[in-house]
Amino acid sequence: MTVIRNAKKIREIVLIDQDLCDGCGKCVRGCAEGALVIEGGKARLAADLYCDGLGACLGECPRGAISIIAREAEDFEPGATGKSGGTGVQSKSVDFKLPGTVPVRGGAKAAGFDPPAPVSTVPNPAVRGMDAKGPKGLVNWPIRLRLVPATAPFLNAPVLTVAADCAAFACPDFHAVFLSSGHPILVDCPKFGDVERFIEKIGDILENNPSIRTVRVPIMEVPCCGGLARAVVKGAERSGREDVSIVSCSVGRNGTLTVEENP
């Protein structure tokens, strides 16, 4: 009897546009599974079985050369490590289903979409410079800063929110204030990420999206969150965008929200 250890099937997997790739290697550092290598001055997939198809490398590419496609490929093999060794953190693709919905595959393919229609009205919180008329919801995916390409079309907006990922859980007015305007939002945590890479990513985003004039930065009133606010300020400086207004929004552990422009 012949046993097929890892048969091919149609699944999502990364595709690298060789014409756009400049071989910078940022995607290699961003791949937890070590699936990507630089060969001949270009990024390439070492083997199908190393790639989980989640697309964590998408946000690392400054040229938008990486996308996710569906094609016949060997199944992802958890625990396998590619030639580059990866970051040592294994990720897993998950199918999930909410009641009354069709299954949705968790992934990181960048996309913008229309927010859902308001289902209720929310009083305008008394926060200077913030106007909240009602919930509009999320307008982009992914929202993790490190996963979003700097050239993602949904970033072409006048206002961008870059939030500490715990701020939404601590602030009761978070959705009313930061998701009511239909502007894109990115989240991350400076404690569990490379702040220098955050600075570089913010700089790339502002350089590639001249329409952004205001960056709102909701962070928790704890020491580690200050790194995200500093990353936004330094990223703006690196981009040379002197026309960008940075609004720091501090969330207390009791849920209070205060605003300070240009920290």
Side-chain angles (χ1 to χ4, degrees), residues 35-112:
L36 301 176
V37 294
I38 301 296
E39 293 180 351
K42 300 285 185 178
R44 301 183 187 279
L45 188 62
D48 290 355
L49 63 87
Y50 299 139
C51 177
D52 61 7
L54 284 180
C57 53
L58 266 69
E60 301 297 333
C61 181
R63 296 183 57 82
I66 305 176
S67 59
I68 300 294
I69 63 168
R71 67 166 172 84
E72 188 178 70
E74 283 185 294
D75 199 6
F76 170 61
E77 187 174 316
T81 302
K83 293 182 180 179
S84 70
T87 59
V89 180
Q90 294 294 332
S91 59
K92 184 178 180 181
S93 175
V94 179
D95 288 331
F96 59 92
K97 187 176 185 299
L98 299 176
T101 67
V102 296
V104 179
R105 187 177 187 278
K109 185 175 182 180

Side-chain angles (χ1 to χ4, degrees), residues 5 15 26 65 71 82 115 149 156 185 201 227 246 250 253:
R5 179 172 177 268
L15 173 68
K26 292 181 179 180
R71 67 166 172 84
N156 186 29
I185 184 170
K201 175 58 73 66
I246 299 173
S250 180
R253 280 172 285 188

Side-chain angles (χ1 to χ4, degrees), residues 9-222:
K9 66 178 184 179
I10 301 297
R11 71 178 182 89
E12 291 184 341
I13 195 166
V14 300
L15 173 68
I16 302 173
D17 188 324
Q18 297 297 298
D19 292 332
L20 292 178
C21 177
D22 62 3
C24 70
K26 292 181 179 180
C27 60
V28 175
R29 299 196 303 269
C31 179
E33 287 75 32
L36 301 176
V37 294
I38 301 296
E39 293 180 351
K42 300 285 185 178
R44 301 183 187 279
L45 188 62
D48 290 355
L49 63 87
Y50 299 139
C51 177
D52 61 7
L54 284 180
C57 53
L58 266 69
E60 301 297 333
C61 181
R63 296 183 57 82
I66 305 176
S67 59
I68 300 294
I69 63 168
R71 67 166 172 84
E72 188 178 70
E74 283 185 294
D75 199 6
F76 170 61
E77 187 174 316
T81 302
K83 293 182 180 179
S84 70
T87 59
V89 180
Q90 294 294 332
S91 59
K92 184 178 180 181
S93 175
V94 179
D95 288 331
F96 59 92
K97 187 176 185 299
L98 299 176
T101 67
V102 296
V104 179
R105 187 177 187 278
K109 185 175 182 180
F113 44 85
D114 293 330
V119 294
S120 63
T121 58
V122 176
N124 188 348
V127 179
R128 180 173 56 86
M130 304 292 178
D131 184 20
K133 296 180 180 179
K136 289 187 177 180
L138 199 63
V139 298
N140 63 278
W141 188 263
I143 60 175
R144 182 69 62 178
L145 174 62
R146 68 192 77 177
L147 297 182
V148 174
T151 54
F154 58 74
L155 293 174
N156 186 29
V159 179
L160 172 66
T161 296
V162 180
D165 50 14
C166 50
F169 296 96
C171 179
D173 291 324
F174 188 92
H175 281 67
V177 173
F178 300 106
L179 292 179
S180 65
S181 60
H183 296 135
I185 184 170
L186 304 176
V187 303
D188 226 308
C189 177
K191 189 175 180 67
F192 299 104
D194 186 336
V195 175
E196 182 59 32
R197 289 173 71 181
F198 288 174
I199 294 172
E200 185 178 358
K201 175 58 73 66
I202 292 296
D204 288 345
I205 288 174
L206 293 177
E207 186 175 342
N208 282 278
N209 298 275
S211 60
I212 298 175
R213 296 304 179 91
T214 301
V215 181
R216 304 186 299 188
V217 192
I219 59 172
M220 291 297 298
E221 198 175 31
V222 292

